[in-house]
Amino acid sequence: MNDSVQKPKRQKKIQVNILSRIALSIIISVFINNFLILLFEKIGTSMESPWLLSFFPYLITPIFMVIFILTFLILTRRIVKDLITLERGLQFITEGNLNYRVAVNRHDELGRVAYNINRMTERLEQQIVKERELEKSRMEMITGISHDLRTPLTSIIGYIELLKSESYKDKDEYSRFVQNTYNKAIHLKKLLDDLFDYTRLSSIETKLDLKRIDVHQLLYQLLFEFEPIAQENNLQIETDIGNTPLLARIDSEKMARAIENLLMNALKYSIKPGTIRIFMKTDKNHMTIVVENKGQPLTQEQQNKLFDRFYKVDHSRSNDGIQASAGLGLSIARNIIELHGGTLTLDHKNSIFRFKLTLPLEDKPDIV
């Protein structure tokens, strides 16, 4: 928050401020008024003017009021000036100038009003920026969904047209067309499943089916199924997950989905040939699963957006043999882990990607 929006350090009641100026105005007015009375009496006596002496008492009250008003206006001119500044500032802000900040440096209620106006303007400006980013994200989402769904759907339609027109040489080619159509349909279903899962997980009504699960056994089973896929893509798997049971209350189906997404992300973006490392560590209250791989370096902007929905880095489509995703895998994984009270973070340095999944433990393991 900039200097013009700094919170006043202390408060001084503006009523006390105004009352003190009223009292001071009265004192000054009485002093000047008494001085004028003595002056007129002296002038009237010296000039021997009885009419002046008899008429002057009628002027005492008006003179006192005029002196009081002038004195009060002079003493309160800063308050009036600050009120005018507030009014003009509000006018600028209501006209749409959200970069404007009210410069009222006071420690009373007017200072608080200026502070709150500036804070409100700053938050409104941030909200507008956020809404613009959301609108941009929404447009990118629509574009991404359209592209990702259209690609397999176009292939399916193409293969069906070939089959419908019997444009195949023999039964082997016919079988290949049918298999390709089926593969594209499965891919399309996976994209739709990802979209459905993300929408469901983003809902505030999402409920987990929590059960007491051995996370070590779950991870071991997932790695057992994943290793052949990695080998087919010229990647080696290195693991260090120990053999100690690690019990936690989790939704095993959703947690398996989150870990699978991390593994498939490493598979997709690893430099091939290469190695994917998976290891697990624990402390007194938490367990951590780390998935590490070497890939193409990312810019800081790309790294910041990596967990955003529908975000895919530019080289995501260059992976031969791996079907393009909707860019929801990491976002789904983070949502699942956060629903379990855990965290998912990325440490990216020297082209090494380390995704760290941390979950609270139900039973504390023995730490040697």
Side-chain angles (χ1 to χ4, degrees), residues 65-78:
M65 294 299 296
V66 170
I67 294 173
F68 173 79
I69 292 172
L70 291 175
T71 305
F72 183 75
L73 290 177
I74 292 172
L75 293 177
T76 58
R77 66 186 184 278
R78 183 185 172 190

Side-chain angles (χ1 to χ4, degrees), residues 34-89:
N34 290 339
F35 174 77
L36 291 176
I37 290 173
L38 293 174
L39 181 62
F40 273 96
E41 287 179 350
K42 187 175 181 180
I43 294 174
T45 303
S46 62
M47 295 179 61
E48 297 181 355
S49 301
W51 68 269
L52 182 61
L53 292 175
S54 61
F55 181 71
F56 180 71
Y58 296 101
L59 298 176
I60 291 176
T61 300
I63 291 174
F64 175 83
M65 294 299 296
V66 170
I67 294 173
F68 173 79
I69 292 172
L70 291 175
T71 305
F72 183 75
L73 290 177
I74 292 172
L75 293 177
T76 58
R77 66 186 184 278
R78 183 185 172 190
I79 296 176
V80 174
K81 181 181 178 181
D82 289 339
L83 283 171
I84 294 173
T85 301
L86 284 175
E87 186 273 333
R88 289 177 178 173

Side-chain angles (χ1 to χ4, degrees), residues 155-174:
S155 297
I156 291 172
I157 293 173
Y159 282 120
I160 290 177
E161 288 178 347
L162 290 174
L163 294 171
K164 185 178 179 181
S165 61
E166 298 183 354
S167 300
Y168 48 87
K169 298 178 180 178
D170 49 33
K171 187 173 180 58
D172 289 340
E173 190 171 50
Y174 170 84

